[in-house]
Amino acid sequence: MAGVAGPNRLFIGGEFVDAADGSTIPVSNPHDGSHLADVAEAGGVDVDRAVAAARSAFPAWSSTPAGERGRLLLRLADAIEDDAEQLAVLESTDTGHPIRDSTRLDVPRTAATFRYFGGMADKLEGSVIPVERGFLNYVVREPVGVVGQIVPWNFPLMFCSWKMGPALAAGNTVVMKPAELTPLSSLRMAELMAEVGFPPGVVNMIPGYGHVAGAALAAHPGVQKVSFTGSTQVGRRIVEASAGNLKRLQLELGGKGANIVFADADVAAAVNGSAFAIFHNQGQACIAGSRLLLEEPIAQEFQERFLALARTIRLGDPLDPATEMGPLTSAEHRDRVLAYVKVARDEGGEVLCGGRAPDDPALAGGCYVEPTVVRADPRARVNREEVFGPFVTVTSFSGEAQALELANGVEYGLGGGLWTRDLARAHRVARALRSGMVWVNSYKRVSPGSPFGGVGDSGYGREMGFEAMHGYTEPKSVWVNVDADLPAWYPR
């Protein structure tokens, strides 16, 4: 594929424009390395332009009736569904997502999230506080202002809705920086937003490099909040950059999800669910179940079944409907994942399957890695550091206490899961897991209404649901003297 249709310039103030200095970023197809597009590269001047446009649009947008903001988000959801085929192809071509996933998961979830927050816009309520006689005290929630949003390359389309949906519904204006590797679906989203009638400046889309455009956005004095999804290392730098104007932060960072299989689990269901937990999107997910913890009585049986399934996963062109696992999103990241195979071996781990690029000559030009399963010591780096690929470690345990000790033995705390038929154990272990999200007899389920986020090195704040709406608003407390005979200064 020589190229793709769609916008390739910055979207600022309602218009597609070139970067101020004319710089561009080459975007490549991870399936074969072919050139897809040259996309305008935002620099510091462009960040200033985008923030200025968002600040200019904020007064009118924040005062727009919430129902009208919601209607625009609902129209956008309809437009996404109408454009589903193009969006899915863009996403699969740019990221390596199998088209079956882009079509069945990414695009529908994107539309569903915008639709959820479209309905939420006019349902964000305040409250009345019972205070002393003679006064009425009520709390209203107001938008924070201009929001900077920085999204990674693994789910660029869905993250547009996860971040922009609640921010726009609450009355904020947005400057979003898509990852330089995968900007195509985000730019198409900006085009759709213009088509359905979002006012100029309400949304600005500025692809660029993290150390340039992302750093400028994080430190910008005209931005009141930054929402960032990415690595813990970069998240710490954003915390430092935010100090200049004490901007609010929401950070969704790395993960090292523990996926616990107890001896009483439905082994067949757990094998299939655990494969989805780690191999969906080539393991490039912060919530991936990248640590398999197997109770000893079923550990051998589970491992044999899991390895057999892993070896049958079909790698191939992401645009082929039969493909089950596509390429990693970049050659640099493929090399990083393969480097962890060497780390595992150097530390005494055993590679049970995979651990290399596939032999198929048709895939030689792409960023492919076979599904990889490694048995390693719990203290090994591959059991503590986020690999972010189709790479899962296997560890056995004896009893619930040891399972929890292993599961909670890392600094991350984003997502985790467990498989059991024991209802009491399910609730007990779910409560004991140090994790922002827990799945029982399932994994990686998400919904626009369910808060998404973590603890520890996985960050703070939440995407989705009422939690996200509250995160994009500030509470204002208003006191009214309702006793005409009482001076406002008089104490009761």
Side-chain angles (χ1 to χ4, degrees):
M1 179 179 290
V4 293
N8 64 350
R9 298 193 293 169
L10 311 179
F11 186 70
I12 297 176
E15 298 180 347
F16 284 100
V17 298
D18 292 326
D21 64 1
S23 297
T24 60
I25 301 169
V27 179
S28 299
N29 185 338
H31 165 60
D32 57 13
S34 62
H35 180 260
L36 293 176
D38 289 311
V39 171
E41 177 198 343
V45 172
D46 303 300
V47 173
D48 290 341
R49 294 160 66 195
V51 172
R55 287 177 66 84
S56 178
F58 176 73
W61 179 249
S62 60
S63 62
T64 297
E68 292 184 24
R69 296 198 300 264
R71 279 192 289 275
L72 277 174
L73 289 166
L74 295 173
R75 281 160 55 184
L76 177 61
D78 292 340
I80 289 166
E81 290 174 341
D82 291 343
D83 198 50
E85 183 176 356
Q86 181 181 355
L87 284 169
V89 170
L90 274 176
E91 194 76 340
S92 291
T93 305
D94 201 11
T95 66
H97 291 199
I99 192 69
R100 59 193 287 170
D101 292 340
S102 297
T103 301
R104 299 174 189 175
L105 296 176
D106 297 15
V107 174
R109 285 176 172 177
T110 301
T113 302
F114 278 123
R115 183 163 285 118
Y116 175 87
F117 286 108
M120 175 79 81
D122 60 358
K123 298 172 183 65
L124 187 64
E125 298 176 348
S127 56
V128 175
I129 313 300
V131 294
E132 60 265 34
R133 183 174 59 84
F135 288 91
L136 168 67
N137 177 224
Y138 62 90
V139 178
V140 293
R141 304 201 71 94
E142 298 181 341
V144 300
V146 175
V147 176
Q149 299 181 327
I150 303 172
V151 297
W153 42 260
N154 55 330
F155 290 101
L157 183 63
M158 284 202 308
F159 281 133
C160 278
S161 62
W162 285 27
K163 293 191 181 296
M164 288 198 293
L168 296 172
N172 302 280
T173 54
V174 168
V175 178
M176 175 173 279
K177 190 204 81 66
E180 69 277 4
L181 291 173
T182 57
L184 301 181
S185 61
S186 302
L187 290 170
R188 174 58 182 154
M189 183 70 69
E191 192 172 45
L192 290 176
M193 297 180 92
E195 289 174 3
V196 302
F198 279 85
V202 169
V203 171
N204 305 273
M205 197 73 68
I206 51 169
Y209 292 100
H211 67 282
V212 179
L217 193 57
H220 204 289
V223 173
Q224 281 70 54
K225 175 176 177 173
V226 167
S227 174
F228 170 76
T229 298
S231 73
T232 301
Q233 179 184 13
V234 175
R236 290 192 173 100
R237 293 205 294 267
I238 287 176
V239 172
E240 295 172 359
S242 71
N245 67 338
L246 299 179
K247 58 174 60 68
R248 296 179 65 177
L249 296 178
Q250 180 262 317
L251 304 174
E252 195 264 280
L253 308 177
K256 194 67 179 175
N259 188 22
I260 308 168
V261 184
F262 288 100
D264 67 340
D266 179 332
V267 173
V271 167
N272 286 323
S274 298
F276 177 76
I278 185 59
F279 297 130
H280 168 239
N281 195 33
Q282 299 73 257
Q284 298 171 135
C286 48
I287 57 173
S290 57
R291 290 184 296 145
L292 259 176
L293 308 181
L294 309 177
E295 194 162 21
E296 288 173 356
I298 52 91
Q300 188 62 35
E301 176 192 359
F302 185 98
Q303 180 176 299
E304 290 173 0
R305 290 196 191 190
F306 188 80
L307 289 171
L309 189 157
R311 293 183 180 113
T312 66
I313 292 174
R314 178 169 177 172
L315 279 67
D317 183 344
L319 294 182
D320 182 346
T323 293
E324 296 173 324
M325 207 172 89
L328 277 69
T329 301
S330 71
E332 179 183 12
H333 189 60
R334 173 203 60 202
D335 294 345
R336 179 181 182 275
V337 171
L338 290 174
Y340 271 103
V341 177
K342 182 178 186 304
V343 168
R345 289 193 172 111
D346 289 346
E347 293 190 333
E350 179 186 3
V351 178
L352 302 177
C353 78
R356 60 192 181 91
D359 293 330
D360 187 348
L363 308 181
C367 306
Y368 290 88
V369 174
E370 290 183 347
T372 299
V373 183
V374 172
R375 179 170 284 278
D377 187 280
R379 295 163 296 182
R381 284 179 58 193
V382 292
N383 264 315
R384 294 183 290 107
E385 299 176 10
E386 186 177 39
V387 179
F388 212 68
F391 186 115
V392 60
T393 59
V394 178
T395 307
S396 301
F397 68 88
S398 176
E400 189 176 304
Q402 188 182 21
L404 286 167
E405 180 183 0
L406 291 169
N408 292 336
V410 298
E411 296 302 318
Y412 294 109
L414 188 58
L418 64 133
W419 302 80
T420 181
R421 289 188 173 97
D422 185 332
L423 182 61
R425 169 184 281 157
H427 289 293
R428 188 170 60 244
V429 173
R431 174 170 290 188
L433 283 172
R434 181 176 170 269
S435 181
M437 295 167 287
V438 177
W439 296 276
V440 178
N441 295 330
S442 60
Y443 209 98
K444 287 182 71 174
R445 304 303 302 177
V446 296
S447 166
S450 180
F452 185 106
V455 298
D457 278 4
S458 292
Y460 48 81
R462 294 295 182 267
E463 315 268 18
M464 316 267 245
F466 273 105
E467 297 287 344
M469 289 288 283
H470 282 176
Y472 283 107
T473 60
E474 297 279 12
K476 175 183 283 185
S477 178
V478 180
W479 288 76
V480 181
N481 176 3
V482 295
D483 186 341
D485 297 328
L486 179 68
W489 50 265
Y490 188 82
R492 296 288 297 198

